[in-house]
Amino acid sequence: MAGRPAKDSPLRLDPRTGRPLPEGIRWREDRQRYQIRVLVPDLYGNWAERARTFRTLGEAKKELANAVAGKNPNGAMTLTQWHERHWPAIGASVRPGTARAYAVAWRRRVQPTLGHLKLEAITSPLIETAMAGWDCSPSTKVDSLALISRLLDAARRARIIDYNPAREIRRPTQDASTSPTSRALTMPQVTTMLELIPAGVYRRYAAALVYTGMRAGEATAIRVRDVDLTQGVLRVSRSFSPGLNGELIEQSPKSHKERQVPIVQAFLPFVDKAMKGKGPDDLLFSGPNGGRLVAANFRRAVNWATIRTALDRPDLRVHDLRHTFATILFDAGASAPDVQAVLGHSSLQVTERYSRAREGVARRAGAVFDRVTTGGYGTDMAQRRAGPGL
């Protein structure tokens, strides 16, 4: 029976020096490389012995020393244990709203599916399998994956693991059916929506969202001094967002940059009405008693379910009013950089999702082809389609 190579076996001798190889290293003549055997996790987190080969003896000795010394003792801790240790640092490094989303992602998705795994055993296939079982929207999966990536990145920086497998995973994307343009309202629908909301603070707030494209928290934080009627703009420099415990926190906009949004003619009467009797530091779009408006209270106050029914849009969200504004801007011929600046997007790629420019590509391309193939004559489309042999 084949056993361990003897000390004087060619497998245990260094062919380059003729000296015995260190314990645990042998020479592979067929590969012309030095070989060691170590325990490593497979794609599914199970430990198995694997052979590794190296071009030089120094590389083999270094890797063997690491294996003999053992992995980082912290590598055996579970993701749950690491989360308990590192969560305060993550929570302090992100916006309160993001921390709140991460906390929900951990409690509902990440911890139940991956929390029991050892850090050193977590692989990208395991993460992908967990994601496939999460019953939530693509954007919610992205939040959960971002949390996992932050946790594993920190473990890598702490030299507990060698790399972050979450970075190998492609982020889920929204379905075409949930694209911003498909969620936008038409102008007749905008009119109907505003008419369904009783005149007053809530109608003015809805008008601010649909006629400026501001995020709900940004519109809530606008003060009278942010209004510039001479230039016809509102200055957006802050936002109200829910903190970890649901309290409203004033902070910078999502892009962390101040911007201006237009006061269009349809919106001007709402601004004038909202400013009456208020001082410069008063909220422009406050609640009935002067307090801060939030999307949830707004939906309850205007009976959002009734508006959805009237518009035949059972999936309509308050955030879709922002989509509406952006889509109308594009339809009116505004340039992508201008729309980006008004919406406060950090990426032009995000802004271009609101454009319907590509929807007419096939029609425009067909028209160009027809002009070339018909010699540029204005032949009627029906006549061309009824050509010989058709």
Side-chain angles (χ1 to χ4, degrees):
M1 181 176 68
R4 190 173 181 180
K7 290 185 178 180
D8 58 351
S9 166
L11 299 177
R12 296 297 308 283
L13 297 177
D14 187 344
R16 298 171 184 174
T17 64
R19 297 175 182 176
L21 290 168
E23 186 72 21
I25 301 178
R26 71 171 184 165
W27 174 253
R28 288 292 301 269
E29 182 67 28
D30 55 336
R31 297 187 181 182
Q32 292 293 295
R33 294 171 73 90
Y34 299 92
Q35 177 181 291
I36 66 171
R37 299 188 73 82
V38 295
L39 288 175
V40 297
D42 61 18
L43 293 175
Y44 300 99
N46 301 312
W47 290 95
E49 190 178 53
R50 294 286 186 271
R52 298 191 61 187
T53 60
F54 303 88
R55 184 175 55 84
T56 68
L57 179 59
E59 292 172 342
K61 289 170 67 175
K62 181 179 180 180
E63 186 62 27
L64 182 63
N66 291 336
V68 171
K71 293 184 177 291
N72 189 316
N74 289 324
M77 78 168 67
T78 64
L79 185 63
T80 294
Q81 292 170 326
W82 177 243
H83 175 270
E84 292 173 355
R85 177 182 298 187
H86 192 66
W87 169 250
I90 292 179
S93 66
V94 298
R95 295 165 70 96
T98 302
R100 188 182 186 188
Y102 283 172
V104 173
W106 172 258
R107 186 175 69 253
R108 295 184 180 179
R109 288 171 288 278
V110 181
Q111 198 275 339
T113 54
L114 298 170
H116 64 286
L117 294 176
K118 295 179 180 179
L119 291 176
E120 60 191 8
I122 296 176
T123 61
S124 51
L126 281 175
I127 298 174
E128 289 171 334
T129 300
M131 289 175 61
W134 296 340
D135 184 17
C136 58
S137 68
S139 62
T140 303
K141 289 186 178 183
V142 168
D143 285 343
S144 303
L145 183 58
L147 171 62
I148 297 171
S149 187
R150 281 183 176 271
L151 287 169
L152 297 183
D153 251 347
R156 178 189 58 79
R157 293 194 302 272
R159 292 179 171 80
I160 297 174
I161 55 178
D162 294 330
Y163 78 107
N164 178 2
R167 289 189 173 274
E168 301 175 342
I169 298 174
R170 186 175 181 180
R171 268 48 179 170
T173 56
Q174 293 284 351
D175 296 334
S177 60
T178 58
S179 66
T181 56
S182 69
R183 302 198 64 89
L185 298 177
T186 64
M187 282 310 301
Q189 287 177 320
V190 169
T191 301
T192 299
M193 177 197 71
L194 293 176
E195 289 175 348
L196 288 170
I197 301 174
V201 295
Y202 295 115
R203 182 185 288 183
R204 293 195 288 269
Y205 182 65
L209 298 179
V210 77
Y211 287 139
T212 70
M214 288 187 290
R215 300 176 179 91
E218 294 171 343
T220 301
I222 290 289
R223 299 185 184 277
V224 173
R225 56 183 158 86
D226 296 319
V227 180
D228 187 340
L229 294 177
T230 302
Q231 298 295 324
V233 297
L234 296 178
R235 287 184 293 272
V236 181
S237 60
R238 68 191 71 83
S239 175
F240 283 137
S241 301
L244 284 174
N245 299 314
E247 73 281 14
L248 285 181
I249 298 175
E250 184 174 316
Q251 55 192 2
S252 63
K254 188 175 181 179
S255 62
H256 302 290
K257 295 180 181 179
E258 180 177 325
R259 71 182 193 278
Q260 295 180 344
V261 298
I263 301 177
V264 299
Q265 288 299 314
F267 181 46
L268 184 57
F270 295 98
V271 175
D272 288 336
K273 193 73 173 178
M275 293 176 64
K276 284 186 176 180
K278 293 183 178 179
D281 291 323
D282 290 336
L283 295 174
L284 184 63
F285 304 109
S286 55
N289 299 318
R292 300 169 182 174
L293 285 170
V294 294
N297 291 339
F298 167 75
R299 288 194 299 268
R300 285 194 293 269
V302 303
N303 197 345
W304 194 248
T306 300
I307 293 175
R308 284 176 164 178
T309 301
L311 299 179
D312 194 22
R313 283 289 304 275
D315 61 342
L316 183 67
R317 306 168 304 181
V318 172
H319 193 69
D320 292 333
L321 304 184
R322 175 173 163 85
H323 297 329
T324 299
F325 176 77
T327 302
I328 292 174
L329 279 185
F330 267 119
D331 288 348
S335 68
D338 284 350
V339 178
Q340 178 188 8
V342 171
L343 292 180
H345 285 153
S346 58
S347 166
L348 192 61
Q349 183 179 6
V350 174
T351 305
E352 289 177 337
R353 294 175 60 224
Y354 295 90
S355 173
R356 284 196 261 249
R358 293 187 178 275
E359 294 182 5
V361 167
R363 185 182 67 256
R364 294 195 299 272
V368 171
F369 185 85
D370 284 340
R371 285 198 299 271
V372 172
T373 57
T374 59
Y377 297 105
T379 310
D380 181 78
M381 178 64 72
Q383 294 176 342
R384 288 191 301 226
R385 296 290 184 249
L390 295 182

